[in-house]
Amino acid sequence: MTSAADPHPETDLVISRVLAAPRAALWRAWTEPELLRQWWCPRPWTTEVRAFELRPGGAFHTFMQGPEGGTSDNPGFFVEIVPQQRLVFTSMLGGGWRPQSPWLGFTAAITFADEGQGCRYTAQVMHPDKTVRDQHEQMGFFDGWNMAIDQLQALAAGL
């Protein structure tokens, strides 16, 4: 079985960057809902955090809205929490371990590690198959997630 530490090229999308912000501040921006909503999706879209239970099995639900009325409803579930090191969430389960059929199924492992004056931030997004992975990439995964990571870095650098 492939672990989250070993990306699978046919099903995973990965972004790994050194961010100019302390790991503790990045973790705080990820784990405080009021901060999360400020950077979670590329502007000018906005985020509403509808559920945020930071524990394995806890609900994680964001709702994004665009300036022209587009929306993206993303209920999910926290799988693993290792403070200031690793956060794993999925759209495949909802709070209370309830299976669900999301519009875009994936599990994301976010890792944080000190590197130089900053923090190595890695987002590994695992999909159930190549078709879903390709769909996510074609939707603008790299542009969108990198824009959100830029916003995360800017926010965390100021904390």
Side-chain angles (χ1 to χ4, degrees):
M1 183 162 112
T2 303
S3 72
D6 300 318
H8 191 285
E10 288 193 18
T11 58
D12 297 0
L13 297 169
V14 179
I15 296 172
S16 186
R17 296 172 45 184
V18 175
L19 303 184
R23 179 170 34 153
L26 292 164
W27 181 261
R28 191 174 153 213
W30 246 106
T31 59
E32 294 180 21
E34 179 55 33
L35 296 175
L36 180 82
R37 72 166 198 78
Q38 295 178 47
W39 68 266
W40 181 250
C41 63
R43 292 182 190 102
W45 282 59
T46 60
T47 300
E48 175 188 343
V49 180
R50 292 187 169 175
F52 195 91
E53 300 169 23
L54 190 63
R55 61 177 173 76
F60 176 41
H61 185 173
T62 60
F63 181 83
M64 299 180 285
Q65 187 161 6
E68 297 175 14
T71 62
S72 180
D73 191 20
N74 304 286
F77 169 94
F78 286 110
V79 177
E80 181 183 31
I81 312 289
V82 180
Q84 294 194 30
Q85 294 178 33
R86 184 173 166 88
L87 193 146
V88 181
F89 63 96
T90 186
S91 64
M92 306 297 281
L93 296 168
W97 302 89
R98 294 284 175 195
Q100 57 189 24
S101 298
W103 68 273
L104 181 68
F106 68 84
T107 298
I110 310 297
T111 58
F112 308 81
D114 293 332
E115 187 170 323
Q117 297 297 311
C119 178
R120 169 70 58 183
Y121 178 91
T122 302
Q124 179 181 349
V125 182
M126 300 165 277
H127 302 84
D129 56 47
K130 185 176 182 338
T131 300
V132 176
R133 177 214 179 272
D134 292 349
Q135 174 191 5
H136 199 180
E137 185 174 17
Q138 291 165 5
M139 288 172 51
F141 170 82
F142 288 104
D143 288 342
W145 280 58
N146 274 305
M147 288 172 65
I149 293 168
D150 289 345
Q151 293 168 180
L152 165 64
Q153 176 178 239
L155 176 67
L159 293 177

